[in-house]
């Protein structure tokens, strides 16, 4: 099967030019001016920007958490991702306490197989650092799971003590793996939560008030010190606060292999959302929580100056109706997480490129190229080059997109960006050369997504 994309403006992390693009058997075969080749299908991309498909390295599909399960499974979640211009996701498989990494890996493979419509890989959440688990990390790497998430938060569920984190970092350094850290001081947060509840402070906003930014800054600094001692690469997930960014900047200035992602919610939403009427603040209960507005511009600046390398989503949706409501009388029982897999690319284009904060090349870099490089997918994914998978977005910069829970494809009953209009519109999305989104039509298929065996960490 040959597809020719004619006359588009091709933009990668480094290039920006007009050319034709020939796709053969799912890969980019030829790029050139006025190509005279036979093709089964010709797509006219005049006036459109051809971008690498987005890579979202932080999703939680079908994830048991907070007494319920995230509302999107791999079918609905990957379809929503595709509509949002994301053609690859890396989801978090979980090693539950008392179980092995292999069991977690096989459980998540079974969740995805036959359902995912875009390509996918897995990180592995390590919830215990027992010797058998540390020994199993190599087996994961051999199967393409080359990054492991650990937590300094959620005591009793995912939190591992500093000694355990240190051991896992040592092992990661030995086997070429990356440790991704959820950095908040969970033990102190638990004290603040207990004290707030004792005072009768049960509303959603207390979720944020009991998780102050200093506790993210402290934990980020702490895990950076541990990573420095072990010489392991470290990736801070869902960085939300200037306090944590300062720790990352200091580490990177010292030349350490420290990387960090932020998420659109921390760039577009703020503590003010918790003050919405009634129980609506529950929509934004996630960890780390939304921060006071002044943190936003620091994060945009971090993206611009490469102190932050990635925008991912931490997509972890729970419906207001049956799920968030579990914490109506106690903010600590509100399932933590929010939807975002569909809105990421549009929001970052709008707030980044259209608002003049980021170049189009930098937009590609933080949404596709760096995620691919940091997580062992480059150059198969994350760029437009001969030999790379033909994962592409045909993007219309003159269009606009209106966001609503009525029209989005995520299986959740609210949209944190309800009513917002973003500049630019996604016209078509291709995954390995197949048009999977065509305007408002989904032309993909459940189960067509392939498991991606990722390679070991290579410094980008
Ligand atoms: O609130 C969040 N972030 N939920 C998902 C789990 C996690 O910590 O990433
Ligand atoms: Zn987390
Ligand atoms: Zn997460």
């Amino acid at each position: 099967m040959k597809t020719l994309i004619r006359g588009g403006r091709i933009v990668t992390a480094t290039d920006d030019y007009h050319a034709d693009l020939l796709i053969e058997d799912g890969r980019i075969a030829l790029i050139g001016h006025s190509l005279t080749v036979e093709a089964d299908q010709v797509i006219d991309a005049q006036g459109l920007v051809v971008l690498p498909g987005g890579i979202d390295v932080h999703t939680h599909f079908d994830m048991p958490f907070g007494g319920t399960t995230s509302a999107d499974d791999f079918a609905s979640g990957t379809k929503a991702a595709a509509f949002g211009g994301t053609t690859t996701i890396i989801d978090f498989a979980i090693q539950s306490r008392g179980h092995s990494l292999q069991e977690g890996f096989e459980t998540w493979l079974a969740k995805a197989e036959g359902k995912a419509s875009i390509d996918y890989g897995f990180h592995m959440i390590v919830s215990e650092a027992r010797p058998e688990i540390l020994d199993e990390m190599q087996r994961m790497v051999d199967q393409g799971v080359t990054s492991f998430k650990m937590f300094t938060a959620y005591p009793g569920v995912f939190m591992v003590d500093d000694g355990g984190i240190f051991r896992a970092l040592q092992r990661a350094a030995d086997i070429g793996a990356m440790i991704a850290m959820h950095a908040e001081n969970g033990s102190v947060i638990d004290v603040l939560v207990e004290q707030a509840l004792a005072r009768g402070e049960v509303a959603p906003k207390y979720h944020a008030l009991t998780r102050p930014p200093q506790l993210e800054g402290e934990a980020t600094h702490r895990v950076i010190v541990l990573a420095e001692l072990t010489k392991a690469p470290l990736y801070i997930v869902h960085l939300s606060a200037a306090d944590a960014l300062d720790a990352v900047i200091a580490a990177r200035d010292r030349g350490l292999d420290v990387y960090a992602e932020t998420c659109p919610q921390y760039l577009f939403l703020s503590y003010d959302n918790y003050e919405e009427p009634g129980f609506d603040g529950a929509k934004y209960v996630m960890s780390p929580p939304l921060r006071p507005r002044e943190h936003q511009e620091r994060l945009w600046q971090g993206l611009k100056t490469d102190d932050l390398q990635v925008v991912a989503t931490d997509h972890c949706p729970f419906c207001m109706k049956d799920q968030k409501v579990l914490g109506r009388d106690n903010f600590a029982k509100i399932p933590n997480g929010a939807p975002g897999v569909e809105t990421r690319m549009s929001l970052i284009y709008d707030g980044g490129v259209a608002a003049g904060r980021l170049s189009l090349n930098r937009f590609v870099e933080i949404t596709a190229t760096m995620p691919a490089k940091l997580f062992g997918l480059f150059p198969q994914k994350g760029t437009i080059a001969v030999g790379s998978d033909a994962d592409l977005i045909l993007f219309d910069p003159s269009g606009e997109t209106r966001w609503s829970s009525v029209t989005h494809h995520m299986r959740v009953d609210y949209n944190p960006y309800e009513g917002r209009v973003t500049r630019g519109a996604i016209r078509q999305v291709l995954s390995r050369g197949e048009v999977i989104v065509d305007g408002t039509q989904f032309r993909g298929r459940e189960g067509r997504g392939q498991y991606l065996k990722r390679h070991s960490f290579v410094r980008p």
Side-chain angles (χ1 to χ4, degrees):
M1 172 76 178
K2 289 186 185 177
T3 299
L4 182 63
I5 300 183
R6 267 216 192 283
R9 175 182 165 198
I10 297 175
V11 178
T12 68
T14 48
D15 303 311
D16 188 341
Y17 55 94
H18 284 82
D20 299 344
L21 203 150
L22 182 71
I23 300 165
E24 206 172 335
D25 299 330
R27 293 203 176 154
I28 297 166
L30 200 58
I31 303 173
H33 283 291
S34 309
L35 292 178
T36 49
V37 285
E38 295 281 302
D40 307 293
Q41 177 182 214
V42 178
I43 297 174
D44 180 9
Q46 294 283 341
L48 301 179
V49 181
V50 184
L51 300 166
I55 301 179
D56 186 350
V57 297
H58 194 152
T59 64
H60 300 281
F61 297 146
D62 201 358
M63 180 205 193
F65 195 47
T68 181
T69 300
S70 60
D72 271 314
D73 64 7
F74 278 81
S76 63
T78 55
K79 181 176 172 185
F83 270 103
T86 288
T87 50
T88 301
I89 55 114
I90 307 182
D91 201 81
F92 287 85
I94 299 180
Q95 177 257 328
S96 313
R97 289 187 173 175
H99 296 266
S100 65
L101 298 179
Q102 187 64 25
E103 282 173 84
F105 176 54
E106 287 171 11
T107 302
W108 255 259
L109 267 181
K111 285 174 188 276
E113 274 169 0
K115 286 197 166 178
S117 56
I118 59 171
D119 294 348
Y120 56 93
F122 298 116
H123 313 277
M124 177 61 63
I125 289 177
V126 176
S127 60
E128 294 165 301
R130 330 179 234 119
E132 310 83 68
I133 296 290
L134 297 172
D135 286 345
E136 245 195 311
M137 286 169 70
Q138 177 70 62
R139 187 170 175 204
M140 290 297 110
V141 170
D142 295 343
Q143 294 169 97
V145 178
T146 55
S147 44
F148 300 87
K149 183 179 180 188
M150 299 189 80
F151 294 74
T152 59
Y154 305 128
V157 185
F158 292 135
M159 191 171 106
V160 173
D161 67 15
D162 292 349
I165 292 170
F166 186 71
R167 285 183 200 278
L169 282 160
Q170 286 178 321
R171 184 57 55 95
D174 286 347
I175 63 176
M178 171 88 97
I179 298 288
M181 284 301 310
H182 178 135
E184 289 183 289
N185 188 322
S187 307
V188 176
I189 288 167
D190 266 10
V191 174
L192 293 174
V193 169
E194 185 191 304
Q195 291 173 349
L197 292 173
R199 287 191 296 270
E201 296 168 348
V202 296
K205 70 177 179 185
Y206 293 104
H207 172 76
L209 296 173
T210 54
R211 304 180 92 92
Q214 293 93 325
L215 293 183
E216 187 184 347
E218 181 276 324
T220 303
H221 174 72
R222 185 174 9 128
V223 296
I224 286 171
V225 171
L226 302 183
E228 180 171 13
L229 288 171
T230 60
K231 297 190 170 54
L234 178 71
Y235 179 83
I236 305 294
V237 295
H238 47 46
L239 186 148
S240 71
D243 312 58
L245 179 59
D246 287 339
V248 170
I249 291 173
R252 290 179 61 78
D253 285 352
R254 294 213 313 287
L256 303 182
D257 272 324
V258 171
Y259 309 91
E261 76 181 19
T262 190
C263 310
Q265 52 271 33
Y266 303 120
L267 297 161
F268 288 86
L269 306 173
S270 73
Y271 172 80
D272 299 349
N273 292 93
Y274 294 114
E275 301 280 359
E276 288 178 14
F279 188 60
D280 275 5
K283 292 174 181 170
Y284 315 98
V285 167
M286 62 187 82
S287 296
L290 300 177
R291 301 301 186 187
R293 215 167 258 285
E294 56 269 21
H295 291 256
Q296 292 175 350
E297 241 5 92
R298 284 292 315 280
L299 299 182
W300 281 114
Q301 185 66 14
L303 287 169
K304 186 175 171 184
T305 55
D306 199 33
D307 292 311
L308 296 170
Q309 294 71 43
V310 172
V311 176
T313 62
D314 194 12
H315 176 86
C316 190
F318 297 103
C319 290
M320 284 295 279
K321 186 167 170 281
D322 298 320
Q323 299 186 297
K324 291 284 188 181
V325 78
L326 293 170
R328 181 170 272 293
D329 302 319
N330 178 347
F331 70 87
K333 294 194 172 148
I334 300 171
N336 282 207
V341 77
E342 190 170 350
T343 40
R344 176 183 72 130
M345 299 293 281
S346 294
L347 286 167
I348 301 304
Y349 178 84
D350 181 63
V353 182
R357 290 186 178 103
L358 303 175
S359 70
L360 196 49
N361 298 113
R362 183 66 183 153
F363 167 75
V364 171
E365 192 164 32
I366 61 179
T367 57
T369 313
M370 277 306 277
K373 286 186 175 175
L374 285 170
F375 291 104
L377 292 171
F378 190 83
Q380 181 189 354
K381 305 285 189 190
T383 194
I384 299 175
V386 172
S388 295
D389 284 356
D391 291 355
L392 302 167
I393 305 171
L394 302 192
F395 187 78
D396 180 357
S398 67
E400 61 175 33
T401 309
R402 181 175 295 276
W403 293 100
S404 168
S405 63
V406 178
T407 47
H408 74 200
H409 301 84
M410 300 177 285
R411 199 159 62 193
V412 58
D413 59 0
Y414 73 97
N415 189 308
Y417 309 97
E418 187 69 37
R420 188 183 285 260
V421 177
T422 52
R423 288 162 280 188
I426 290 164
R427 299 294 180 213
Q428 284 187 324
V429 178
L430 286 77
S431 164
R432 281 180 280 101
E434 263 182 63
V435 176
I436 57 168
V437 171
D438 192 0
T440 57
Q441 298 301 306
F442 184 61
R443 287 173 46 190
R445 183 173 39 82
E446 285 182 18
R448 68 166 295 287
Q450 292 178 355
Y451 171 66
L452 296 165
K453 202 171 162 199
R454 296 182 291 119
H455 55 73
S456 298
F457 174 75
V458 180
R459 185 175 296 126

